[in-house]
Structure formats: structure tokens, C-alpha cells
Amino acid sequence: MLAAGVPAVMARQGAGCAVASVAVVKIVMATDMKSITGTRDHSYSVKWVKNGSDVILLILRGQSKQRLLFTSSGSDCRLLSILQRRRKKKEKMRPKIYIFGDSITEESFGGGGWGALLAHHFSRTADVVLRGYSGYNTRWALKVLDKVFPAADGSDDAPLVITIFFGANDACLPDRCSAFQHVPLHEYKQNLHSIISTFKKRWPETQILLISPPPIDEDARLKFPYVENPMGMPERTNEAAGAYAKACVSVAVECGFPVVDLWTKMQRFPDWGKACLRDGLHLTQGGNRIVFDEVIMKLRDVGLSLESLPVDLPLISDIDPSNPLKSFEN
């Protein structure tokens, strides 16, 4: 009920408003914002809003957020309006595809990079979000996971896909110049499992796609060392990269997720060391194209393609030239 001196207010149906009842809210008219002294039904929320010389009481009722607006000028209380506004269903933003990995991912938004190709491919259906960290291994990736990816907030904004592309740095040899990046093979597998587990707990419906490390051209690595190399020996070998690629494929099989076996795929191409790799490790445009084609194929295999994803807004071909704005009404 209303406090003494505050008239009950009803709206006329002829004015396009439903009859309003505020019996569940007890109000004492006052000038400060803490003027609600009584209890209220759990489905209502109440707050005061200042509007010039008026103090407006805003009552939000239930999930439909029916708004009952009252204004006070001195002791006078009159109904401004009663608006039945069903909360619009939150417009779902474009789904996100996160690409998570080391320098081969970080560089992928450059000209001809596989990430840029992916963003272009899904330009009207999904946002490709880059999370690439040059030099990182799975141990470091696991350490920073919560800083890199948003916490689940209970909404339906889970990523559509996350690609996990680590292993090239884990596979650095423990007795060579990049030993600080080395992660033992058994730990590499455990780290991949932990990264996947974190994502699946956070976003159970998100599709995970693993990508193995690429092959290594050892001669080219000697020409392009990342750090000083007094030993004169490559910090990576193709044999070691192959072992980590095999472990990556094994983890994907164990978890039931698709995987791009890049180490095997690239070596099927003639002169792959020069055709696919620009420095024995990082990708040429041809190498990037292989990654892109493989990712698109694997996503299609699990039902994710341009044909299965809706565009966010009408295509120009769908807009009626005689009434263009009609296409934006829904």
C-alpha cells in the first residue's frame, strides 16, 4: 500500500495504458533517493531517478520489465505513464572463433596469413579473434589462460570455435640454444589436456580444433636463429617436431576433437621446406594457405561452414530496391 498522503494512481485504458496497481510497494514521499521504506514483491525492483525538479519512481516488474513511472512535485503525485515493454530478446552478436597459439598464430593476420584468410572467409558470419603469442609453449599458455580468455558469464556468448596451435616451441631441444622454451613431451600432452579441459568447463558447447606443429627445415633454421647459436646446431629438428605432432594428434583422438596434422600434411608437398616455410619454421603464404584449407575442411566436417551459419544482417541481394528499409524491420 502507499504511505499516507500519497494518492493511489490508476491510468485510463483509453490512453493506451493498462490499469496499474502498486499495492505491493510501500512508498514514503521524500526528497532523497532512499525513500522506499517498505517491503516489495520479489518480482519488482524499485529505484528513484531525478529528472530536473521532479523525482521519478521507477518500478520494474518481473522479467517483462513492465515499467510504472510516477513523478513527485512536492506532495503532488501524478502518473506520467505506464509502459508495458517486454525486454527485447538480446540480439545475439556474431559468434566468435578464437585462434590460440604461438608465433605462427600471432603472424596469421598478416598478408596472406591463415588467420586473415579465416576472417575474410567468415566476414559476414563470425568474428575471428586473434590470441597468438610469439615464443610461447603450452606451459606458458596454460599459465596465462585466464588472462587471455573471458570468464563464462552465464550468457550465450560462448565462442563457436577455439583453435589450439602449440607445439613448435615445446619441441625445442633441451640442450640447444632455445632450451628455455622446451617442454618435455609428456608434459606437452598433459598441458594440452588441461587447456582443453579449461575451455570445455567454461564453454561446454564450444568446438575445439587442434593443430599440430609444422615440420622443421633444419638447414633453414641454422640460417635464421632466433637467439645466438654458438653451438652451430639447429634448436629444433624435424624428428622432434614429428614426435610432438604425433602427441597432439593423440590428444585430439583421446578427447574426440578434430585435428590438423600439419607436420604430415605439409611434407606431402614437393620441396615443402621452401614452399611452406620461410625460415624453416614460420609459414610462407603457401604454408598459410594449407593451414587455412585444412581448418576450413575440419570445421566443415563438424557442421560449421558458411552454409550452416546465418549472416548477421541482410545481404545486398536480399534488400528490396523499392523498399530497402523493410529488410531491417525484423
Side-chain angles (χ1 to χ4, degrees):
M1 59 180 293
L2 300 179
V6 180
V9 186
M10 299 181 69
R12 293 175 308 194
Q13 303 230 14
C17 299
V19 176
S21 170
V22 291
V24 295
V25 181
K26 186 177 181 181
I27 304 167
V28 174
M29 299 304 299
T31 57
D32 68 57
M33 295 298 179
K34 298 179 180 179
S35 55
I36 302 171
T37 61
T39 60
R40 55 187 173 88
D41 185 277
H42 72 277
S43 64
Y44 284 72
S45 58
V46 184
K47 68 176 181 178
W48 290 99
V49 180
K50 281 189 174 181
N51 181 24
S53 61
D54 284 341
V55 178
I56 299 175
L57 171 64
L58 176 61
I59 305 174
L60 303 179
R61 182 163 66 185
Q63 292 299 313
S64 66
K65 287 293 181 282
Q66 184 181 36
R67 298 189 177 192
L68 312 179
L69 300 177
F70 295 84
T71 184
S72 168
S73 296
S75 62
D76 178 46
C77 188
R78 59 188 175 84
L79 178 67
L80 290 182
S81 62
I82 301 174
L83 305 176
Q84 177 87 21
R85 294 182 183 173
R86 294 197 174 274
R87 185 194 305 176
K88 290 184 179 179
K89 186 177 180 181
K90 184 181 178 182
E91 291 294 334
K92 193 169 183 179
M93 301 296 289
R94 284 185 186 177
K96 291 182 174 63
I97 297 174
Y98 282 100
I99 57 175
F100 184 40
D102 52 34
S103 58
I104 301 176
T105 299
E106 181 177 330
E107 294 180 355
S108 71
F109 267 34
W114 69 272
L117 293 171
L118 203 63
H120 177 71
H121 182 79
F122 289 109
S123 60
R124 291 294 296 271
T125 55
D127 289 333
V128 178
V129 183
L130 177 63
R131 293 293 182 267
Y133 301 90
S134 179
Y136 276 47
N137 54 37
T138 55
R139 183 187 295 162
W140 303 352
L142 189 59
K143 185 73 173 177
V144 301
L145 211 56
D146 289 337
K147 295 181 180 180
V148 173
F149 291 93
D153 59 3
S155 70
D156 57 356
D157 290 336
L160 185 67
V161 179
I162 302 176
T163 65
I164 303 172
F165 193 174
F166 287 99
N169 296 314
D170 300 68
C172 288
L173 301 180
D175 59 350
R176 303 283 174 89
C177 60
S178 291
F180 72 101
Q181 293 172 286
H182 171 75
V183 172
L185 190 60
H186 70 278
E187 184 189 341
Y188 170 69
K189 290 188 66 174
Q190 291 173 353
N191 290 343
L192 284 180
H193 275 290
S194 296
I195 291 169
I196 291 169
S197 177
T198 298
F199 286 146
K200 295 309 288 184
K201 286 180 181 177
R202 191 170 297 182
W203 300 301
E205 302 303 318
T206 296
Q207 177 66 56
I208 304 295
L209 172 61
L210 275 73
I211 306 174
S212 86
I216 298 296
D217 181 344
E218 296 169 29
D219 290 337
R221 289 310 301 151
L222 286 174
K223 297 177 183 177
F224 301 97
Y226 174 67
V227 295
E228 187 176 350
N229 185 10
M231 297 176 64
M233 301 176 70
E235 83 289 6
R236 296 167 171 85
T237 65
N238 196 38
E239 180 182 5
Y244 283 75
K246 184 177 179 180
C248 178
V249 172
S250 175
V251 170
V253 172
E254 291 166 12
C255 296
F257 295 128
V259 60
V260 174
D261 183 358
L262 197 58
W263 187 83
T264 299
K265 182 70 177 180
M266 281 189 171
Q267 292 183 84
R268 293 174 181 165
F269 287 82
D271 198 20
W272 59 266
K274 293 182 175 61
C276 301
L277 307 173
R278 60 176 171 81
D279 59 1
L281 169 63
H282 300 97
L283 308 183
T284 62
Q285 285 197 6
N288 274 287
R289 185 75 199 194
I290 293 170
V291 177
F292 167 73
D293 288 342
E294 290 294 306
V295 168
I296 290 298
M297 182 180 69
K298 295 297 181 180
L299 293 181
R300 184 178 294 276
D301 288 345
V302 295
L304 296 174
S305 65
L306 290 182
E307 294 76 21
S308 66
L309 298 173
V311 295
D312 56 350
L313 291 170
L315 299 173
I316 184 64
S317 57
D318 297 327
I319 294 178
D320 182 358
S322 63
N323 189 6
L325 294 182
K326 186 174 179 60
S327 300
F328 304 101
E329 292 178 358
N330 296 327

